Amino acid sequence: MSAPLVFDRPLVRHRLARAVKAGYADFLLARAVEDLEERLSTVLRPFPLALDVGTPTPAVAEALRLSGRAEEVVRVAPVPEPGSILGDEERLPVAGERFDLAVSLLALQSVNDLPGALVQIRRALKPDGLFMGALLGGATLNELRQSFTQAEAELEGGVSPRVAPFADVRDLGGLLQRAGFALPVADSEVVRVRYGDPFALMRDLRRMGFTNSLNDRRRTPLRRATLLRTAQIYAERFADPDGRLPATFEIIWLSGWTPHESQQKPLRPGSAKMRLADALGVPENPTEVPKKD
């Protein structure tokens, strides 16, 4: 069964290429790269060959090389750039069981088949290889989503999908397991960015390639009145006491290992060599709970 086509993938790449050409707004990506370096610092092993899967710019590949975390980095880029392989996160152009580390930052939230993309990443890794990724989560841009919804309901009598249906952190750990990763972990953090007005946020979204690329988007241009009403609602509902406007970005971090016999596994029931009571230093008989009359 093929995955539903939520995103217009050629349009996703076109808008990212436009953003990179105009000067990519990298504040979220720069934060993700810093967080990646911190997370990798706890892994006490080398990564001779790493794979960068679709990160919008070469920033993570450069950081891995400069830090010495990876001896060599192969980058599958979403738009043409020197020294990289042009490719799609949904159809990775790399051989199986080749890489020690795979990383993807702020790219996988716009694929149509996330489980399939994770399977391909897992297949590209050697046994006991590590995947670490960051993608935008469900709380992202909730202020803008609510403001657009109310403005369109008031002025146009209906709502057009404008903000992507980002994944939920509660589901992504299961997706990692479903894709065949061992020791899967998913956690999230919320980044709050403040703007002078909603139009500054919209300019940044354009400069990150995050403008509407949904297949079900309305094909007619956004009406000026709707845009102005959206900005008014945003300011009325979400402004901080000093008048500045918050924008929420939820970054969900994923990590998992390709299975290997050296990895820890849960013991079989009944195979423990020490009684729990002995380990805790307490009597073996449980405390009796008084019966009710």
Side-chain angles (χ1 to χ4, degrees):
M1 184 182 297
S2 59
L5 298 179
V6 177
F7 297 97
D8 182 338
R9 293 288 297 164
L11 185 59
V12 169
R13 291 190 291 272
H14 170 75
R15 289 187 168 166
L16 178 58
R18 180 183 64 186
V20 170
K21 184 177 181 181
Y24 186 81
D26 66 351
F27 60 94
L28 276 183
L29 182 57
R31 182 187 179 108
V33 171
E34 290 180 6
D35 288 351
L36 174 71
E37 292 179 320
E38 182 177 345
R39 289 166 183 263
L40 286 176
S41 69
T42 64
V43 183
L44 304 178
R45 57 175 290 181
F47 297 106
L49 183 60
L51 174 67
D52 174 7
V53 181
T55 302
T57 77
V60 67
E62 293 168 359
L64 289 172
R65 293 188 186 102
L66 288 174
S67 66
R69 298 298 304 175
E71 296 174 14
E72 182 182 354
V73 182
V74 174
R75 172 162 158 74
V76 177
V79 297
E81 63 183 41
S84 298
I85 301 170
L86 179 63
D88 192 318
E89 300 93 323
E90 295 186 318
R91 293 182 293 276
L92 289 182
V94 295
E97 297 192 4
R98 181 184 173 194
F99 299 92
D100 306 283
L101 170 70
V103 174
S104 180
L105 301 187
L106 303 186
L108 295 177
Q109 69 273 347
S110 60
V111 300
N112 287 310
D113 184 8
L114 182 54
L118 292 174
V119 167
Q120 291 188 59
I121 293 171
R122 194 258 302 158
R123 289 174 176 167
L125 288 165
K126 296 176 181 177
D128 205 30
L130 172 64
F131 164 63
M132 194 164 285
L135 63 160
L136 297 179
T140 297
L141 299 176
N142 65 78
E143 304 92 350
L144 185 61
R145 181 187 295 113
Q146 293 177 47
S147 301
F148 261 126
T149 298
Q150 183 177 335
E152 288 192 313
E154 289 178 5
L155 301 180
E156 302 189 23
V159 177
S160 171
R162 296 193 178 276
V163 179
F166 299 118
D168 191 292
V169 66
R170 292 172 296 183
D171 301 326
L172 289 172
L175 284 184
L176 284 170
Q177 205 164 24
R178 175 179 161 190
F181 284 100
L183 309 175
V185 176
D187 64 89
S188 73
E189 64 171 329
V190 171
V191 178
R192 195 168 177 265
V193 183
R194 302 205 310 155
Y195 289 90
D197 59 71
F199 303 109
L201 165 62
M202 294 176 195
R203 286 192 294 271
D204 269 358
L205 295 178
R206 183 181 178 88
R207 291 178 57 219
M208 289 188 283
F210 287 168
T211 48
N212 192 355
S213 299
L214 296 172
N215 261 325
D216 292 337
R217 69 192 181 279
R218 185 174 293 173
R219 306 299 168 130
T220 54
L222 178 64
R223 291 169 51 187
R224 177 178 173 80
T226 303
L227 183 60
L228 292 176
R229 180 59 180 145
T230 298
Q232 182 182 19
I233 293 168
Y234 203 131
E236 290 172 352
R237 291 186 58 182
F238 299 108
D240 287 336
D242 62 0
R244 294 185 67 79
L245 304 178
T248 298
F249 295 90
E250 182 185 19
I251 300 178
I252 298 179
W253 282 93
L254 307 177
S255 66
W257 297 82
T258 46
H260 188 264
E261 59 184 11
S262 66
Q263 293 166 355
Q264 290 183 344
K265 297 178 179 62
L267 294 173
R268 295 189 305 276
S271 63
K273 297 180 179 179
M274 177 182 289
R275 296 180 304 170
L276 180 61
D278 292 339
L280 297 177
V282 298
E284 185 172 4
N285 293 329
T287 302
E288 189 173 89
V289 178
K291 293 181 180 180
K292 294 183 179 179
D293 294 333

